[in-house]
Amino acid sequence: MAEHPKRKGIIIFGPPGAGKGTHASRLVEKLELAYIATGDILREAVAKGTPLGVEAAGYMNRGELVPDEVMIPIVEERLAQVNDKKGFLLDGFPRTVRQAAMLDDAARRNAIEIDKAIYLKTSKDAIVQRLSGRRICPGCGATYHVANIPPKVEGVCDKCGTPLVQREDDREAAIATRLAEYDKQTAEVIRYYREKGILAEVNGDLPVEASHPIIVKIISEGGRL
Ligand code: AP5
């Protein structure tokens, strides 16, 4: 009997402001994949004031990672729900080696193959410039940058017309903590995927128009688009 092809899992990761969300939102327009963005899940919970949001808000506003014990069950639950899709695109998870190991276990249980970990290698200068200029739409979640990716009308979302706002954790003190957390906890994840042979490094300093086709090519090499 012919075996069903395994569903695919693609990870996009890198430091804060590397462009994970920007690339991921363009990819999900093209790919038949479920999109799991842990930062978005948490921000939605904070906005709704759910118990998860109340617990996560302090960590997020300070720029610290939300504990693994909170994050892991959330992602496990989402992975179990991707049945109707070919697989998933993960943005913002894993951020610790413990999360990466859990992801491997959950993928095995759900017959998903983690196929590529796309690492957006980005300089500190670019990160600070991007985070300080980022504006987001509280209505539909679209992301802009005052200089790099401006909306057509200043301060207003192109997609839904809602006034744009700055993210709470894009203030200077929180940016410094996020960068320190990344160096302390998330940088190790690069080695984890390099050792597994699925790491694809992309220059995150490039403009989106230059780096996006590279990412699309990496993903499409395995016939995944
Ligand atoms: P999360 O939302 O995942 O934040 P992050 O990792 O800090 O990443 P960002 O969303 O800031 O940046 P991005 O890489 O998506 O860049 P973007 O595309 O927006 O997480 C937030 C918080 O939630 C964490 O700090 C933590 O507390 C918690 N959390 C989430 N997941 C967790 C987990 N797994 N475990 C524990 N805690 C977790 O781009 C940034 C700006 O630059 C934009 O303005 C964009 O327009 C612009 N831009 C993007 N690409 C380019 C480019 N190539 N050239 C020029 N400008 C660009």
Side-chain angles (χ1 to χ4, degrees), residues 89-114:
L89 175 65
L90 261 179
D91 161 6
F93 190 97
R95 268 177 148 93
T96 64
V97 168
R98 190 166 159 219
Q99 292 181 8
M102 162 265 143
L103 180 61
D104 282 345
D105 284 350
R108 254 191 306 276
R109 282 198 306 279
N110 290 285
I112 291 169
E113 180 187 354
I114 309 282

Short mmCIF file of all heavy atoms in Angstrom, two decimals, residues 89-114:
data_model
loop_
_atom_site.label_atom_id
_atom_site.label_comp_id
_atom_site.label_asym_id
_atom_site.label_seq_id
_atom_site.Cartn_x
_atom_site.Cartn_y
_atom_site.Cartn_z
N LEU A 89 3.93 26.51 9.09
CA LEU A 89 5.05 27.45 9.11
C LEU A 89 5.09 28.05 10.51
O LEU A 89 4.11 28.64 10.96
CB LEU A 89 4.81 28.56 8.07
CG LEU A 89 5.83 29.70 8.03
CD1 LEU A 89 7.21 29.19 7.59
CD2 LEU A 89 5.37 30.80 7.08
N LEU A 90 6.22 27.85 11.18
CA LEU A 90 6.35 28.34 12.56
C LEU A 90 7.19 29.62 12.59
O LEU A 90 8.30 29.63 12.05
CB LEU A 90 7.07 27.29 13.39
CG LEU A 90 6.27 26.37 14.27
CD1 LEU A 90 7.19 25.40 14.98
CD2 LEU A 90 5.42 27.13 15.27
N ASP A 91 6.67 30.65 13.24
CA ASP A 91 7.38 31.93 13.36
C ASP A 91 7.47 32.26 14.85
O ASP A 91 6.46 32.42 15.51
CB ASP A 91 6.56 32.96 12.55
CG ASP A 91 6.86 34.41 12.91
OD1 ASP A 91 7.77 34.68 13.69
OD2 ASP A 91 6.14 35.28 12.37
N GLY A 92 8.71 32.32 15.36
CA GLY A 92 8.89 32.70 16.77
C GLY A 92 8.98 31.51 17.71
O GLY A 92 9.08 31.68 18.92
N PHE A 93 8.96 30.33 17.19
CA PHE A 93 9.07 29.09 17.98
C PHE A 93 9.83 28.08 17.12
O PHE A 93 9.51 27.94 15.94
CB PHE A 93 7.68 28.55 18.31
CG PHE A 93 7.68 27.43 19.32
CD1 PHE A 93 7.44 27.68 20.66
CD2 PHE A 93 7.96 26.13 18.92
CE1 PHE A 93 7.44 26.64 21.58
CE2 PHE A 93 7.97 25.10 19.85
CZ PHE A 93 7.71 25.35 21.18
N PRO A 94 10.83 27.38 17.63
CA PRO A 94 11.32 27.38 19.00
C PRO A 94 12.31 28.52 19.26
O PRO A 94 12.98 28.99 18.37
CB PRO A 94 12.06 26.03 19.08
CG PRO A 94 12.56 25.79 17.70
CD PRO A 94 11.53 26.38 16.79
N ARG A 95 12.34 28.90 20.54
CA ARG A 95 13.26 29.95 20.97
C ARG A 95 14.25 29.45 22.00
O ARG A 95 15.10 30.21 22.46
CB ARG A 95 12.46 31.07 21.61
CG ARG A 95 12.05 32.15 20.66
CD ARG A 95 11.21 33.10 21.47
NE ARG A 95 11.35 34.45 21.02
CZ ARG A 95 10.54 35.01 20.13
NH1 ARG A 95 9.58 34.32 19.58
NH2 ARG A 95 10.71 36.26 19.81
N THR A 96 14.11 28.21 22.42
CA THR A 96 15.07 27.58 23.34
C THR A 96 15.29 26.16 22.81
O THR A 96 14.44 25.63 22.07
CB THR A 96 14.52 27.49 24.78
OG1 THR A 96 13.37 26.63 24.77
CG2 THR A 96 14.14 28.84 25.34
N VAL A 97 16.40 25.56 23.24
CA VAL A 97 16.67 24.18 22.79
C VAL A 97 15.60 23.24 23.35
O VAL A 97 15.19 22.29 22.68
CB VAL A 97 18.09 23.76 23.21
CG1 VAL A 97 18.31 22.27 23.02
CG2 VAL A 97 19.11 24.55 22.38
N ARG A 98 15.08 23.55 24.53
CA ARG A 98 14.01 22.71 25.09
C ARG A 98 12.76 22.77 24.20
O ARG A 98 12.11 21.76 23.96
CB ARG A 98 13.71 23.19 26.51
CG ARG A 98 12.82 22.26 27.25
CD ARG A 98 12.81 22.57 28.72
NE ARG A 98 11.61 22.00 29.30
CZ ARG A 98 10.87 22.58 30.22
NH1 ARG A 98 11.21 23.75 30.71
NH2 ARG A 98 9.80 21.99 30.68
N GLN A 99 12.43 23.95 23.72
CA GLN A 99 11.29 24.07 22.80
C GLN A 99 11.55 23.31 21.51
O GLN A 99 10.65 22.68 20.94
CB GLN A 99 11.00 25.55 22.49
CG GLN A 99 10.47 26.34 23.67
CD GLN A 99 10.16 27.80 23.33
OE1 GLN A 99 10.20 28.22 22.18
NE2 GLN A 99 9.85 28.59 24.36
N ALA A 100 12.80 23.35 21.04
CA ALA A 100 13.14 22.65 19.78
C ALA A 100 12.98 21.14 19.95
O ALA A 100 12.46 20.45 19.05
CB ALA A 100 14.57 23.00 19.35
N ALA A 101 13.39 20.62 21.11
CA ALA A 101 13.27 19.18 21.35
C ALA A 101 11.80 18.78 21.44
O ALA A 101 11.38 17.74 20.91
CB ALA A 101 14.01 18.82 22.64
N MET A 102 10.99 19.62 22.11
CA MET A 102 9.55 19.33 22.19
C MET A 102 8.93 19.33 20.81
O MET A 102 8.09 18.50 20.48
CB MET A 102 8.90 20.40 23.08
CG MET A 102 7.42 20.53 22.95
SD MET A 102 6.96 21.84 21.78
CE MET A 102 5.55 21.12 21.01
N LEU A 103 9.38 20.27 19.98
CA LEU A 103 8.82 20.36 18.63
C LEU A 103 9.12 19.08 17.84
O LEU A 103 8.24 18.57 17.13
CB LEU A 103 9.42 21.58 17.93
CG LEU A 103 8.95 21.84 16.51
CD1 LEU A 103 7.45 22.07 16.47
CD2 LEU A 103 9.68 23.06 15.94
N ASP A 104 10.32 18.56 17.99
CA ASP A 104 10.65 17.29 17.31
C ASP A 104 9.71 16.17 17.76
O ASP A 104 9.21 15.40 16.93
CB ASP A 104 12.10 16.88 17.62
CG ASP A 104 13.09 17.69 16.79
OD1 ASP A 104 12.66 18.33 15.81
OD2 ASP A 104 14.29 17.67 17.12
N ASP A 105 9.47 16.07 19.06
CA ASP A 105 8.57 15.02 19.58
C ASP A 105 7.16 15.19 19.03
O ASP A 105 6.54 14.24 18.56
CB ASP A 105 8.45 15.12 21.11
CG ASP A 105 9.68 14.57 21.79
OD1 ASP A 105 10.52 13.96 21.09
OD2 ASP A 105 9.81 14.80 23.01
N ALA A 106 6.66 16.44 19.09
CA ALA A 106 5.28 16.69 18.65
C ALA A 106 5.16 16.43 17.15
O ALA A 106 4.14 15.91 16.69
CB ALA A 106 4.87 18.11 18.99
N ALA A 107 6.18 16.79 16.39
CA ALA A 107 6.13 16.58 14.94
C ALA A 107 6.05 15.07 14.65
O ALA A 107 5.26 14.63 13.82
CB ALA A 107 7.36 17.20 14.27
N ARG A 108 6.84 14.29 15.37
CA ARG A 108 6.81 12.82 15.18
C ARG A 108 5.42 12.27 15.45
O ARG A 108 4.88 11.51 14.67
CB ARG A 108 7.82 12.14 16.13
CG ARG A 108 9.07 11.63 15.43
CD ARG A 108 9.91 10.74 16.34
NE ARG A 108 10.26 11.36 17.61
CZ ARG A 108 11.29 12.17 17.79
NH1 ARG A 108 12.08 12.48 16.78
NH2 ARG A 108 11.55 12.69 18.96
N ARG A 109 4.82 12.72 16.55
CA ARG A 109 3.50 12.23 16.93
C ARG A 109 2.43 12.60 15.90
O ARG A 109 1.47 11.89 15.71
CB ARG A 109 3.08 12.79 18.29
CG ARG A 109 3.72 12.11 19.47
CD ARG A 109 2.94 12.41 20.75
NE ARG A 109 2.75 13.82 21.01
CZ ARG A 109 3.66 14.62 21.56
NH1 ARG A 109 4.82 14.14 21.92
NH2 ARG A 109 3.39 15.90 21.76
N ASN A 110 2.63 13.76 15.23
CA ASN A 110 1.63 14.25 14.28
C ASN A 110 2.01 13.97 12.82
O ASN A 110 1.43 14.56 11.91
CB ASN A 110 1.40 15.75 14.48
CG ASN A 110 0.69 16.06 15.79
OD1 ASN A 110 -0.51 15.85 15.91
ND2 ASN A 110 1.43 16.49 16.79
N ALA A 111 2.98 13.07 12.61
CA ALA A 111 3.44 12.70 11.26
C ALA A 111 3.83 13.92 10.42
O ALA A 111 3.45 14.07 9.27
CB ALA A 111 2.37 11.88 10.53
N ILE A 112 4.60 14.81 11.04
CA ILE A 112 5.09 16.01 10.35
C ILE A 112 6.62 15.92 10.30
O ILE A 112 7.26 15.52 11.28
CB ILE A 112 4.67 17.29 11.10
CG1 ILE A 112 3.15 17.49 11.00
CG2 ILE A 112 5.39 18.51 10.56
CD1 ILE A 112 2.60 18.55 11.91
N GLU A 113 7.18 16.31 9.17
CA GLU A 113 8.64 16.32 9.06
C GLU A 113 9.13 17.76 9.11
O GLU A 113 8.71 18.59 8.29
CB GLU A 113 9.03 15.69 7.71
CG GLU A 113 10.50 15.63 7.48
CD GLU A 113 10.83 15.16 6.06
OE1 GLU A 113 9.90 14.78 5.31
OE2 GLU A 113 12.00 15.21 5.72
N ILE A 114 9.98 18.07 10.08
CA ILE A 114 10.55 19.43 10.12
C ILE A 114 11.60 19.46 9.01
O ILE A 114 12.61 18.77 9.07
CB ILE A 114 11.21 19.76 11.47
CG1 ILE A 114 10.28 19.49 12.65
CG2 ILE A 114 11.71 21.21 11.46
CD1 ILE A 114 9.23 20.48 12.91
#
